[in-house]
Amino acid sequence: IKEFVLIGLGRFGSSVASHLHSMGYEVLAIDIDEKRVQKNKDFCTHVVQADATDEQTLRALGVANFEVAIVSIGHDMQASILVALLLKDLGIPRVIAKASSDVHGKVLKRIGVDRVIFPERDMAIKLANHLAIDNIIDYLEITPDVSIVEVSATPEIQGQTLRELDIRAKYDVNIVALRRGVTEVLVPPGPDEVIRPGDILIALATNENVRRWQEATR
Amino acid sequence: IKEFVLIGLGRFGSSVASHLHSMGYEVLAIDIDEKRVQKNKDFCTHVVQADATDEQTLRALGVANFEVAIVSIGHDMQASILVALLLKDLGIPRVIAKASSDVHGKVLKRIGVDRVIFPERDMAIKLANHLAIDNIIDYLEITPDVSIVEVSATPEIQGQTLRELDIRAKYDVNIVALRRGVTEVLVPPGPDEVIRPGDILIALATNENVRRWQEATR
Ligand SMILES: Nc1ncnc2c1ncn2[C@@H]1O[C@H](COP(=O)(O)OP(=O)(O)OP(=O)(O)O)[C@@H](O)[C@H]1O
Ligand SMILES: Nc1ncnc2c1ncn2[C@@H]1O[C@H](COP(=O)(O)OP(=O)(O)OP(=O)(O)O)[C@@H](O)[C@H]1O
């Protein structure tokens, strides 16, 4: 059973805290700003107004007993780094911190943060990729070149079977699943499955091949 | 060939602009803050210092000619809403806007924004889910219950073949791919593939079954 300490109740931090809390986990949230503490009182196990850059305060709050800490201070890079450093020095096994820039992320990594997150940058890349190929709904990067993508079936391919479309042979794109409506998922879809309007194809391929396929079947 | 106009060069906006630009797209970026304009000069086609809540300014900049606009103003909800409204009134077919809260998102939707993004909230949910099940590295939600998840191979399953592990029969979890190292991906992995330390399994299953599998093989 895991307990989490979280520092920084901005949009990212308060969402992490409330989601963990709603999943039944204990969350101790700390923020220097009383208004933010009040706003989050109902979404965490405990919310405390405190300056997390103060080591004595962290010790008094029993922060050293936690197994996982999340530092979600964005704009004050100095505070973010100092808090992360204190948490590692207090012996917390797993410290996760959000970074506001590549430089910020590098410093966090170097002082021993176990996982650095770039929420704005990662969602921006996702959106940019989506905008570049209209049809991509979502994707999961497997390696920098290979992704699993969700693509809505273009009019071009509707009414045909997967065997007829021969996507794998033509584009080296592997259709691993087909989603229809809200709950139906064919895994894998059969070769004689006819593509219908509204179908979502889940494909595994290099980004380049997905692009080629989409350009060819616009 | 698509051209984008983007308003608001915060962390999210500047990342979207620079990624689109690096993919070869034309990006006109607008920000009221001269410092941010200067910081982004090399990462967009054009960067202009201007107040995007001023309709005359938007018209003078030719914003009405763009097919896609991205509004990435976070803290000033009023400015974000006003800009989005102006962009729709100027006839821009697709307006995407980031929202800082559910309320902000609702208003944007209601004034006609085509897609509302919650970068901090969505990354927070992703992190919270990851923290809840230690082993999940990333995931793609197919439906609210079914996901494709990336799971690192636990010591429990290392040294065994997929046939021996019989994951599909036992947990209804379908291992669709196996990633090894930075670039090797087996799609699908053969039944006699021996799981090694460091392997990442890409599985398709209900969230519940992934959890069951992970709890059983901790
Ligand atoms: N020394 C500190 N101790 C505790 N909390 C702090 C400290 N410094 C900053 N904070 C808190 O961290 C929170 C998040 O910081 P900030 O708003 O700068 O980050 P952000 O990255 O813009 O947030 P968002 O997740 O909304 O994008 C704020 O609520 C702030 O009060
Ligand atoms: N009226 C306006 N016209 C043009 N740009 C504006 C206007 N109002 C705000 N901006 C710009 O929008 C940008 C993003 O706003 P802000 O920093 O509040 O958002 P944020 O959500 O915190 O950003 P981040 O993506 O870093 O989390 C800022 O650079 C700001 O100068």
Side-chain angles (χ1 to χ4, degrees):
Chain A
I1 179 69
K2 276 191 280 184
E3 298 178 331
F4 300 89
V5 55
L6 181 141
I7 295 144
L9 289 164
R11 291 163 300 192
F12 179 75
S14 57
S15 285
V16 174
S18 68
H19 272 88
L20 288 172
H21 183 63
S22 70
M23 287 196 270
Y25 294 100
E26 297 240 340
V27 183
L28 166 65
I30 300 169
D31 199 294
I32 199 170
D33 184 331
E34 180 62 32
K35 284 209 249 72
R36 299 227 171 165
V37 167
Q38 286 309 320
K39 194 161 143 199
N40 284 279
K41 279 233 173 278
D42 300 332
F43 306 111
C44 309
T45 321
H46 295 291
V47 194
V48 178
Q49 186 275 322
D51 181 347
T53 58
D54 183 65
E55 187 178 349
Q56 292 320 317
T57 301
L58 292 182
R59 286 189 183 282
L61 289 169
V63 165
N65 303 324
F66 287 79
E67 289 190 33
V68 186
I70 300 130
V71 186
S72 42
I73 295 171
H75 289 108
D76 190 339
M77 200 191 293
Q78 201 165 304
S80 156
I81 291 163
L82 183 47
V83 171
L85 190 66
L86 285 175
L87 294 170
K88 287 312 284 180
D89 284 355
L90 284 174
I92 295 182
R94 195 138 196 262
V95 175
I96 295 137
K98 78 163 251 186
S100 283
S101 67
D102 290 337
V103 163
H104 185 183
K106 278 206 181 94
V107 177
L108 290 170
K109 262 290 167 196
R110 219 158 288 193
I111 62 167
V113 166
D114 303 280
R115 193 173 167 206
V116 179
I117 305 214
F118 300 84
E120 299 85 4
R121 186 198 72 178
D122 288 358
M123 287 296 284
I125 295 173
K126 199 163 168 166
L127 175 64
N129 281 321
H130 172 175
L131 291 172
I133 307 175
D134 316 75
N135 241 1
I136 290 190
I137 294 162
D138 206 351
Y139 71 90
L140 176 72
E141 216 175 60
I142 308 274
T143 72
D145 297 316
V146 178
S147 303
I148 288 185
V149 294
E150 284 196 0
V151 180
S152 58
T154 53
E156 272 267 0
I157 70 170
Q158 290 165 19
Q160 301 184 60
T161 66
L162 284 171
R163 195 195 302 271
E164 288 165 344
L165 290 167
D166 212 14
I167 298 170
R168 188 165 198 171
K170 287 187 184 157
Y171 306 101
D172 231 341
V173 169
N174 181 9
I175 308 299
V176 298
L178 186 150
R179 188 172 94 214
R180 184 164 285 161
V182 181
T183 53
E184 190 184 350
V185 189
L186 307 168
V187 188
D192 298 316
E193 188 66 38
V194 177
I195 308 295
R196 301 177 198 174
D199 278 355
I200 309 288
L201 280 71
I202 292 123
L204 173 64
T206 60
N207 300 325
E208 186 44 36
N209 285 334
V210 170
R211 208 176 298 249
R212 267 202 314 127
W213 169 44
Q214 285 300 299
E215 310 255 292
T217 57
R218 233 201 280 271
Chain B
I1 179 64
K2 277 190 282 187
E3 299 180 331
F4 300 89
V5 55
L6 180 140
I7 294 143
L9 288 164
R11 291 163 299 193
F12 179 74
S14 56
S15 284
V16 174
S18 68
H19 272 89
L20 287 172
H21 183 63
S22 69
M23 285 195 270
Y25 294 100
E26 297 241 340
V27 183
L28 165 64
I30 300 168
D31 199 295
I32 198 170
D33 184 330
E34 181 60 34
K35 286 209 248 72
R36 300 225 170 166
V37 166
Q38 286 310 319
K39 193 161 145 200
N40 283 280
K41 278 237 176 274
D42 301 331
F43 306 110
C44 308
T45 323
H46 296 293
V47 195
V48 178
Q49 186 275 322
D51 182 346
T53 58
D54 183 65
E55 187 177 349
Q56 289 323 315
T57 301
L58 292 182
R59 285 189 184 283
L61 289 169
V63 165
N65 303 325
F66 287 79
E67 289 189 31
V68 186
I70 299 130
V71 186
S72 42
I73 295 171
H75 290 109
D76 191 340
M77 201 191 292
Q78 201 163 303
S80 156
I81 290 164
L82 182 49
V83 171
L85 190 66
L86 285 174
L87 294 170
K88 285 314 281 179
D89 284 355
L90 284 174
I92 295 181
R94 196 139 194 261
V95 176
I96 295 136
K98 78 164 253 188
S100 283
S101 68
D102 291 338
V103 163
H104 186 182
K106 279 206 180 97
V107 176
L108 289 169
K109 262 292 168 195
R110 220 160 284 195
I111 61 168
V113 165
D114 302 282
R115 194 172 166 207
V116 178
I117 306 216
F118 300 85
E120 299 85 4
R121 186 197 73 179
D122 288 358
M123 289 296 286
I125 295 174
K126 198 163 169 166
L127 175 64
N129 282 320
H130 171 178
L131 292 172
I133 307 176
D134 317 73
N135 241 2
I136 290 191
I137 295 161
D138 206 353
Y139 71 89
L140 176 70
E141 217 175 61
I142 309 276
T143 72
D145 296 317
V146 178
S147 303
I148 288 185
V149 295
E150 284 194 358
V151 180
S152 57
T154 55
E156 273 267 359
I157 69 171
Q158 292 164 18
Q160 300 184 60
T161 66
L162 284 171
R163 196 195 301 272
E164 288 165 344
L165 291 168
D166 212 16
I167 298 170
R168 188 166 198 170
K170 287 188 183 158
Y171 306 101
D172 232 341
V173 169
N174 182 9
I175 307 301
V176 297
L178 187 149
R179 186 173 94 214
R180 184 164 284 161
V182 183
T183 52
E184 190 185 350
V185 189
L186 306 167
V187 188
D192 298 314
E193 189 63 40
V194 177
I195 308 295
R196 301 177 200 174
D199 278 356
I200 309 289
L201 280 71
I202 291 121
L204 173 64
T206 61
N207 299 325
E208 186 45 36
N209 285 335
V210 170
R211 208 176 297 248
R212 269 203 311 128
W213 170 44
Q214 285 301 298
E215 309 254 290
T217 57
R218 232 200 282 269

